[in-house]
Amino acid sequence: MNANTMQPTPRAALRLLNRQRLLLQLLRALGGHSTKLDFQKLLFLWCNDEQADAPQYEFVPYRFGAFSFTSYADRRKLIDCGLLVDDEHSWSLRVEGREVADVALDDRLSSFVQRYQSLRGDRLVAETYRRFPYYATRSEIAERVLVGDQPALERVAEARKPKQTSSLSTIGYEGKTLERFLNTLLTRGVTLLCDVRRNALSRKYGFSKGTLSRGCDGVGIRYEHLPQLGIASEQRHALNTQADYDALFAEYRRTWLPTQSDTLQTVSDWINGGERVALMCYEHLPQQCHRHCVADALVARFKADFSPTHL
């Protein structure tokens, strides 16, 4: 750390998470300004750098390579706090943002930026694609930025999941970031995410219907919400033991699922049409979530020739 760590802490810094401070500090090391594309790629490289502490951000393969939805949500907060300029095309520090960044500026960031100072634009993007080909698998510009580098293009092609047969799986987002959640779906070849929550709202960033749907679309996964298969929130109160969950799910199977033939048929048609469907809700453990009841009903009701997996 430099001598600025002894300065008084600005009031705005007291409300920030460590990862949000990282955004300000990296931008400060870049001179206070960067294009959006360059900043995202440098943030990605820093989070995968051996000098860095535990990665503050996770990323998904997106239109131009590695992208962090969470970093953009944090960017909006920093703008609202008056620390970043609200600029459509770039990341820029305000004076107040520079003051916050200078409080505990990590000298390792300066050496990191110096290491990559000659790489900007397509050259910087190409560097991330060569080193981390998985994150180029959804790229719209890979062939352009890697023109003439056939080995790198082949590594990107190898990192893409081949088309697989239809399947059914289930997944909960408890304990996952949006990026980790989407990467799990991608690496398992899921093509359609079926949200079986009654109300597709969440206090956890990324998992309310609008944001989740956009995130899925950005990585090439279809999103569908079937609230008919959900359980009302008032029925989920006072679930303290596995026996409580089991009783709730037994009632759900007995009284509600039999009324949802058309909805279950919709999911079955997706699978029969070749989709790799993941049923999604909150809980990490499938035995504490009704999604496993839906999966069992699909297998039993339509005599599906597959076994559901729990991601």
Side-chain angles (χ1 to χ4, degrees):
M1 303 294 175
N2 63 18
N4 288 327
T5 58
M6 303 303 294
Q7 296 178 354
T9 302
R11 185 181 299 275
L14 301 177
R15 301 189 297 270
L16 300 181
L17 301 173
N18 287 337
R19 68 171 192 254
Q20 294 161 348
R21 290 190 179 90
L22 169 63
L23 297 179
L24 299 177
Q25 292 167 356
L26 177 56
L27 195 52
R28 184 72 171 99
L30 288 165
H33 178 84
S34 174
T35 67
K36 283 187 172 181
L37 185 64
D38 284 350
F39 188 80
Q40 193 70 193
K41 298 303 170 280
L42 288 166
L43 178 64
F44 170 71
L45 289 171
W46 170 253
C47 288
N48 287 277
D49 193 277
E50 60 185 18
Q51 290 189 79
D53 299 326
Q56 299 279 356
Y57 289 97
E58 296 173 89
F59 296 78
V60 296
Y62 207 60
R63 295 171 55 206
F64 303 127
F67 182 80
S68 167
F69 293 101
T70 304
S71 73
Y72 267 68
D74 286 346
R75 179 179 186 271
R76 172 46 57 187
K77 177 175 180 177
L78 294 172
I79 290 171
D80 292 344
C81 288
L83 303 176
L84 289 183
V85 176
D86 191 356
D87 186 318
E88 182 181 355
H89 304 291
S90 65
W91 293 64
S92 298
L93 285 172
R94 291 188 180 277
V95 172
E96 296 83 354
R98 289 175 182 266
E99 292 174 355
V100 173
D102 286 344
V103 167
L105 189 59
D106 192 333
D107 289 334
R108 293 175 299 175
L109 285 169
S110 297
S111 62
F112 167 81
V113 168
Q114 284 186 332
R115 204 184 333 149
Y116 291 100
Q117 63 182 348
S118 64
L119 295 179
R120 292 294 183 270
D122 285 357
R123 293 181 64 199
L124 179 58
V125 174
E127 174 72 7
T128 67
Y129 289 1
R130 291 187 180 99
R131 291 180 56 190
F132 303 94
Y134 166 72
Y135 292 95
T137 54
R138 299 290 309 171
S139 174
E140 299 173 359
I141 60 174
E143 291 188 0
R144 175 168 64 79
V145 301
L146 292 175
V147 63
D149 191 342
Q150 192 60 33
L153 287 169
E154 290 175 358
R155 289 193 294 273
V156 172
E158 290 171 4
R160 293 190 179 101
K161 292 289 289 185
K163 186 173 178 57
Q164 299 172 323
T165 58
S166 59
S167 67
L168 177 66
S169 57
T170 81
I171 186 171
Y173 67 86
E174 182 180 13
K176 296 180 177 71
T177 62
L178 175 59
E179 291 83 3
R180 189 179 309 171
F181 180 84
L182 293 174
N183 279 323
T184 299
L185 299 177
L186 288 170
T187 56
R188 298 301 290 267
V190 170
T191 60
L192 191 154
L193 181 67
C194 179
D195 189 340
V196 295
R197 294 175 292 175
R198 176 68 63 88
N199 297 305
L201 299 172
S202 178
R203 289 176 291 181
K204 184 177 177 67
Y205 169 72
F207 293 99
S208 289
K209 182 175 181 176
T211 305
L212 181 58
S213 176
R214 289 190 294 273
C216 285
D217 181 66
V219 298
I221 295 172
R222 177 179 167 189
Y223 172 88
E224 297 283 352
H225 181 212
L226 295 181
Q228 309 95 306
L229 294 177
I231 295 180
S233 57
E234 58 267 22
Q235 294 180 267
R236 304 186 64 85
H237 294 161
L239 297 176
N240 300 313
T241 67
Q242 187 60 49
D244 295 332
Y245 284 98
D246 293 343
L248 172 65
F249 298 148
E251 180 71 6
Y252 174 72
R253 286 190 181 97
R254 185 179 68 82
T255 64
W256 187 252
L257 272 182
T259 71
Q260 296 303 310
S261 293
D262 289 347
T263 309
L264 291 170
Q265 183 64 55
T266 295
V267 182
S268 181
D269 289 345
W270 289 335
I271 298 167
N272 291 335
E275 299 282 6
R276 293 178 62 82
V277 176
L279 304 175
M280 168 249 178
C281 199
Y282 168 71
E283 290 82 1
H284 171 67
L285 297 175
Q287 63 267 32
Q288 293 184 352
C289 178
H290 72 287
R291 67 182 186 270
H292 83 277
C293 304
V294 177
D296 292 344
L298 285 165
V299 172
R301 196 177 186 90
F302 301 108
K303 298 181 174 57
D305 58 353
F306 54 77
S307 298
T309 57
H310 303 291
L311 306 182

